[in-house]
Amino acid sequence: MNGQPNSKPWTLTVKKGSRLRLRLINSSGSTFFRISIDGLKFSVIEVDGNRVKPIEGQNVIVPTSARYDVLVDVPDSGSYTIHAAALGDDKQCLGVIHTDDAQVTVNDKRPTFDGVTVDFRSLQALNPSGFGRKVDRVYDVLLSGKMKKYEWMMNNHYWPEPFAGPHPEKTYLDIQQGEVVQLRMINRSPMSHPMHLHGHTFRVLGSADDDFAPIMDTVWVPKGETVTIEFLANNPGMWAYHCHNIWHLAVGMMQPVRYVVDERELLRQ
Ligand SMILES: [Cu+2]
């Protein structure tokens, strides 16, 4: 955590009664972290730099490349260990928050995570996030692969090989400037994938109230599940759209989104 090993953990000294804002940044190549702080609740207030309705929890799942901002109150003197536990593994990394009147003590026991878990499915945007427009284009994006052969694909395609078969143009997801686009990610693989789109933020649909769909730039698609994202095409270019597990990306789990400047759109501005 913050470059420090567990034997000499990163330590933050605060005054009793402090309110802290911590930005939890998962900069790993392939690990999902479940993060908690012994004895302290927190509330999630932002995801990937976008405000959400504050939501309290005892732990939060932060997938590869995601950023979660949390508020933490430290009402009493003490030493509080931060645990970032790798999912699917028994390892964790540690940090410590302590008040200036208390000794640093490190609890290196992995927590059991009994309390309320916050993840992307718990979140709602602080303000209405819809575009107030109908959807112009929907693409299905099939996430597939096999652990044994270590192949991971989007729409049965390994980037950058040209798309095999009668539709080589499917190497890219072609869209038009100004469109509202939905990408429906269907995960038929035995792993979860942290999916990231460059150049845009997107709404993650499927919560209790899609008027307040949370805004992110990375969302994980659990194995066997489908997650739909929606964005406004307001930034022409060829944008990487890929799994953020670096090993999956390295074997080609990418399908760029591509669009050019629309001159009619420019004239309207
Ligand atoms: Cu992946």
Side-chain angles (χ1 to χ4, degrees), residues 13-209:
T13 309
V14 301
K15 291 233 176 308
K16 173 182 154 182
S18 297
R19 165 167 280 191
L20 315 174
R21 177 180 185 152
L22 303 180
R23 178 161 293 159
L24 309 172
I25 304 168
N26 185 340
S27 65
S28 75
S30 61
T31 303
F32 282 37
F33 288 106
R34 188 193 290 262
I35 299 172
S36 69
I37 309 171
D38 288 342
L40 298 176
K41 275 190 197 167
F42 53 76
S43 67
V44 173
I45 56 164
E46 272 192 15
V47 58
D48 300 343
N50 303 290
R51 296 293 303 275
V52 296
K53 290 178 182 163
I55 179 166
E56 275 203 5
Q58 271 97 37
N59 63 84
V60 57
I61 295 176
V62 184
T64 311
S65 90
R67 292 85 67 210
Y68 277 71
D69 281 34
V70 300
L71 287 183
V72 188
D73 287 319
V74 187
D76 302 312
S77 297
S79 176
Y80 308 94
T81 302
I82 308 170
H83 301 264
L87 291 190
D89 196 323
D90 60 359
K91 297 188 178 66
Q92 60 173 344
C93 56
L94 302 171
V96 182
I97 297 166
H98 76 110
T99 54
D100 55 7
D101 55 357
Q103 288 286 324
V104 173
T105 56
V106 184
N107 167 23
D108 60 6
K109 277 235 290 281
R110 186 177 161 118
T112 51
F113 299 116
D114 304 319
V116 176
T117 299
V118 176
D119 91 5
F120 75 93
R121 290 165 290 202
S122 331
L123 302 177
Q124 295 258 274
L126 186 63
N127 300 305
S129 59
F131 302 115
R133 298 246 317 267
K134 67 172 182 53
V135 178
D136 298 293
R137 190 185 296 267
V138 180
Y139 276 119
D140 279 353
V141 178
L142 179 65
L143 310 178
S144 62
K146 292 189 191 79
M147 196 53 157
K148 220 170 180 178
K149 287 176 72 183
Y150 217 79
E151 53 183 25
W152 304 101
M153 291 174 281
M154 291 170 69
N155 283 331
N156 297 310
H157 173 250
Y158 306 103
W159 175 263
E161 286 174 20
F163 198 83
H167 298 289
E169 72 278 8
K170 285 188 183 166
T171 301
Y172 302 92
L173 293 167
D174 281 313
I175 63 174
Q176 298 285 325
Q177 187 176 12
E179 288 181 338
V180 173
V181 179
Q182 285 188 356
L183 304 175
R184 194 167 154 263
M185 296 178 278
I186 305 156
N187 187 354
R188 297 234 176 90
S189 79
M191 271 194 79
S192 300
H193 300 282
M195 301 300 297
H196 177 53
L197 172 64
H198 288 220
H200 306 77
T201 54
F202 50 70
R203 290 165 20 92
V204 179
L205 305 181
S207 66
D209 180 0

